[in-house]
Amino acid sequence: MNFLAPAAIAFAAAIPIVIVFYLLKRKRVVHLVSSTLLWQKFLAETQASSPFQRLRHNWLLILQILVLLLAIFALMRPYLAGEGRTGRLRVAILDASASMMATDVQPNRFEQAKADLEKLIDGLKGNDQLVLLLASAHTEVKQSATTDKVALRRALATCVAMETPTRLAEAFKLAETLVKNRPESEGPEIHLFSDGAASGLDDFQNKNLPLVYHRYGKHSENAGITAIDVRANPANARERALFATIANLSTNARAVELELSFGNDVVETRTVSLSGTNTQPLVFVAPQNQDGVFTLRIKNEDALAADNRASIVSLIPQPARVLLVSRSNRFLEKALRTAPNAELTIVPALAEQPQNFDVVVLDDVSPTVWPAANVLAFHVVNTNLFSSWENAKTPPVVDWKSGHPLLRFVSLDNVQVAETLAIKAPPWGVGLVESPNTPLVVAGELYRRKVVWVGFDILQSTWPLRISFPIFVANAIDWLNPSASRNAELMVRAGEPFRFPIEQPISKAELTTSDGQRRTIPVEPGARELIVGDAYRQGVYRLSAGTNDVTFCVNLLDAAESNLTPREELPFGKYSKVTATAVKRANVELWRWIAAGALAFLLFEWWYYHKRTA
Amino acid sequence: MDSLLSAKLLRQLEQFQLLAQRRAKSSARGERRSRSRGQSVEFADYRTYVAGDDFRYLDWNLYGRLERLFVKLYEEERELPVRIFLDASESMTFGQPRKFDFARQVAAAVGYVALCGFDRVSVIAFPDRPEQSVVRGALRSVRGRKSALEFFRNITQLSAGDGVNLNEALRRAALEARQAGVAVVLSDFLDPAGYEKGLEALVGRGFQVNAVQILSPEELNPSTYGDLKLVDAETGSIQEVTFGKYRLKSYQQTVHNFCQRLREFCQSRGIRFFMASSGTPLEQLLLQQLREAEVWG
């Protein structure tokens, strides 16, 4: 046996002190009696001239010395060298997403989860280790594996809930790596403290994670804003139309009172009746003569406040300056001219870099220099775009992504194509219109420029004869118009990074958060964009970077978070799930009670002794 | 006198007379029957006339019948010496009320009954205190009811103090007594040297001994607890004790054993034993215990 703190033997000096206390006589009260004859039986000592007495056999002294020796022994921290059983590893994932801020339980789900997690920490045995992960939009390791309960409690105290969606998959991946190679004897466990509002866990279907799911929440009495967008009013280009989706996540019908404001001015209030578990899209129309922020609020109080407000920056649309490079294409030219908010210029060829154009349309013309602007390309190939290509005859249109902004109100049912360039879907974009062998339309972003690529010559198809063509062209110009996409760029989901391109070198930037706090963001020399990565609270943020001042909005806009229904089961793919534990698994240590009992017994003994002698 | 005995109690005591179990042996004439022959109204015996006898005591009826001269003898009536041994040591000054005050009251009551019965009363207080020699001398021999007032006054002037050896004091008093009689010992008997030899000396001298043990309520049921340093009032010795309520029963058992040992000793020697607390009413001892034990009647 060895000792970690052998110097603690110095406490043995306390033993003689205890003995001296027993050698000292107790102070006695002088009492005159008629005769000591009757007191002989109670005689303690015949003579009392010295302050010390003879050390007599006393069980209390022996017990006290014994306890003292044990305490000294413990303070010396003895240990046995050899193979010892390592403690169990537990990985605690604390869901800190917006839904955990729901107040259907008091004070809220997150605080309840923290309280239970603290019990789990208290219940850790001597060698048990715990890793504390805080999962919101990102997973943060609040405390690496440790047996130090003080450090764990300190880390837990710093955990706060955020108004972000849940991304549990990231936390599970991290937890999996921690428990993966642990032997079964150590019994590693992953404890999830969450309401289960998580998706995207299919990757863990066959992982057989040793998961203990602690579920929180009672009901889902909540209504929230799940989507918001602003664009020009199709009926009146001088007005702005704000599209929003309101969801009633409770099973009861409810009337939702909405208030739309532009800046500090209330624009409109509206009461919407929503049946249970239903959503309703809404359109608000408002005149706008300057850039500003629309804010939509739900004025009713419900269980979750984070989804009762959404803001969006609305910029006055600037007309897109479009350069059409075409030998001759009347269909395309006419479609571009009818596109709203576009100023068209036509050139037959592009020999040099075009200046002062927002969108360049390449119609079956390969430019000498690839334009440094957003591009709509028809039947153009370039090694910048694709590594290889070939021709394909009569590719049928089999599918298209009607949900994409480019294909809004576009139907390709009756479009036939005679010939097209067959390519493989590039990494920079997604295929929007598909034929069996090749995508016909690809949209994406390349070198920070947006590109819409159509693989066939429209004159080799029936598309120009369909009504969907001018709609597609208008959608494309709108999508490629930098000023039109600014609105979308100036809104991010809570927890997602906000990126701001830097045109001129700056040394520092200042961010004003939604709660009015200001802080400086360091900028590395030569950086081409500024990233705000910790916008975890929704609201309006203002960024001042050099000569540029930009306002952006952070919103929750997550129907899964707004749905507060506590999930009894956590799905892992189709066939795997974890059920919430009915009993919170947390070992409760008893030593405090035993120590308290021992202390109470000691106090009782002390009281009883004095009661007998007093 | 008022401080010792109330007028009511005195009137009750006047009705009593000390009951002697033995014939009086005093040489002085009194009202107690004795074995001596003398002049009284109580016929005792006859004896043959011898020349010189008083013709007034010849029984002429007997002479007429037997023609022989007989002289009638009568019992001589003598006085009964009553000796009250009063413990005036330091230990008797304890208690509330003081044991010594109680003892003085008992002594006064016994003495008053004796004086009313024309008996000679002696109060012997021990230890000796030279400054009280006059008072104590006056209490050595008191006779007659008319002396009661003076008797009470002297008893009131008695005081207690100093230590005493009970055995030695009683033994010396026994030796000093010229005639045996009724002895009443008033003491707490708390003498480390014991009491046996003293009482045996009185019995051996022929006294009809009555022992009255007087203890204070505090001695019977102490109320001081804790770690105590006890100082003996008489000897000055110091004893350290740890005394709590939990030991009260044990203490009371010790007191009971002590009293029981004294009682058994007295019974074995023909001594009538009485035990009283200084806190109990005086009437209970005088009018009940002593009367029931036929000390007087």
Side-chain angles (χ1 to χ4, degrees), chain B residues 12-291:
Chain B
Q12 289 174 311
L13 291 174
E14 285 170 2
Q15 300 169 7
F16 295 140
Q17 187 175 21
L18 285 170
L19 300 177
Q21 293 176 333
R22 299 171 189 170
R23 305 251 172 175
K25 292 179 180 178
S26 172
S27 57
R29 293 175 66 88
E31 294 192 349
R32 302 282 178 173
R33 295 173 66 183
S34 70
R35 294 187 183 282
S36 302
R37 300 293 179 257
Q39 293 178 349
S40 72
V41 294
E42 291 291 331
F43 173 77
D45 203 355
Y46 291 101
R47 74 171 168 81
T48 308
Y49 173 77
V50 294
D53 286 340
D54 193 340
F55 291 160
R56 288 179 296 179
Y57 298 110
L58 285 173
D59 188 344
W60 298 109
N61 292 332
L62 203 59
Y63 177 76
R65 211 183 307 160
L66 301 176
E67 293 184 346
R68 289 179 62 185
L69 290 171
F70 291 94
V71 177
K72 287 198 280 189
L73 298 177
Y74 295 91
E75 287 185 354
E76 178 82 344
E77 288 187 337
R78 302 280 177 86
E79 65 179 5
L80 179 65
V82 177
R83 300 180 84 85
I84 301 171
F85 298 98
L86 181 59
D87 186 351
S89 64
E90 184 69 36
S91 66
M92 291 294 284
T93 63
F94 279 83
Q96 191 63 38
R98 296 199 312 165
K99 292 189 286 183
F100 186 67
D101 293 341
F102 190 85
R104 282 194 304 190
Q105 287 179 306
V106 177
V110 172
Y112 186 67
V113 171
L115 291 177
C116 290
F118 298 100
D119 294 322
R120 186 175 299 278
V121 176
S122 299
V123 177
I124 300 103
F126 51 84
D128 288 332
R129 303 190 73 178
E131 70 273 14
Q132 287 198 322
S133 57
V134 176
V135 175
R136 297 192 178 201
L139 289 170
R140 279 286 177 180
S141 177
V142 183
R143 192 166 189 271
R145 188 172 178 179
K146 61 184 179 185
S147 307
L149 197 60
E150 184 68 18
F151 174 71
F152 289 145
R153 189 180 299 124
N154 289 332
I155 281 187
T156 307
Q157 290 178 5
L158 286 175
S159 63
D162 300 335
V164 70
N165 185 323
L166 188 61
N167 280 331
E168 184 61 28
L170 293 179
R171 194 177 61 81
R172 198 172 65 191
L175 290 174
E176 288 174 353
R178 282 184 287 180
Q179 290 96 25
V182 173
V184 178
V185 182
L186 302 171
S187 173
D188 54 12
F189 294 96
L190 296 176
D191 190 339
Y195 46 78
E196 294 86 352
K197 289 183 179 176
L199 291 177
E200 282 176 347
L202 290 178
V203 174
R205 182 67 181 83
F207 278 101
Q208 177 189 333
V209 182
N210 300 283
V212 181
Q213 185 186 27
I214 300 166
L215 295 175
S216 69
E218 177 69 15
E219 286 170 330
L220 292 169
N221 194 8
S223 59
T224 304
Y225 304 106
D227 294 315
L228 304 174
K229 183 187 284 186
L230 302 179
V231 181
D232 191 306
E234 288 188 21
T235 65
S237 65
I238 293 171
Q239 312 282 10
E240 287 189 354
V241 299
T242 297
F243 186 65
K245 285 182 180 174
Y246 71 105
R247 306 183 90 171
L248 182 60
K249 283 188 178 177
S250 179
Y251 174 85
Q252 287 172 335
Q253 186 62 42
T254 303
V255 175
H256 176 76
N257 292 342
F258 178 79
C259 297
Q260 187 63 24
R261 209 161 44 243
L262 176 59
R263 183 189 301 275
E264 289 171 357
F265 173 81
C266 291
Q267 286 175 347
S268 66
R269 267 59 173 188
I271 301 171
R272 284 188 288 207
F273 174 77
F274 306 95
M275 191 250 169
S277 165
S278 62
T280 56
L282 189 62
E283 288 80 1
Q284 185 180 339
L285 174 68
L286 300 179
L287 305 181
Q288 289 184 16
Q289 289 191 52
L290 295 182
R291 193 176 180 189

Side-chain angles (χ1 to χ4, degrees), chain A residues 146-182:
Chain A
T146 182
T147 59
D148 187 354
K149 293 183 180 180
V150 176
L152 286 166
R153 287 195 195 96
R154 198 184 302 128
L156 181 62
T158 62
C159 293
V160 290
M162 302 168 198
E163 295 170 343
T164 66
T166 315
R167 301 281 183 268
L168 285 181
E170 192 182 332
F172 278 131
K173 273 182 189 165
L174 187 55
E176 185 200 2
T177 57
L178 291 169
V179 302
K180 188 166 56 179
N181 296 321
R182 294 273 173 168

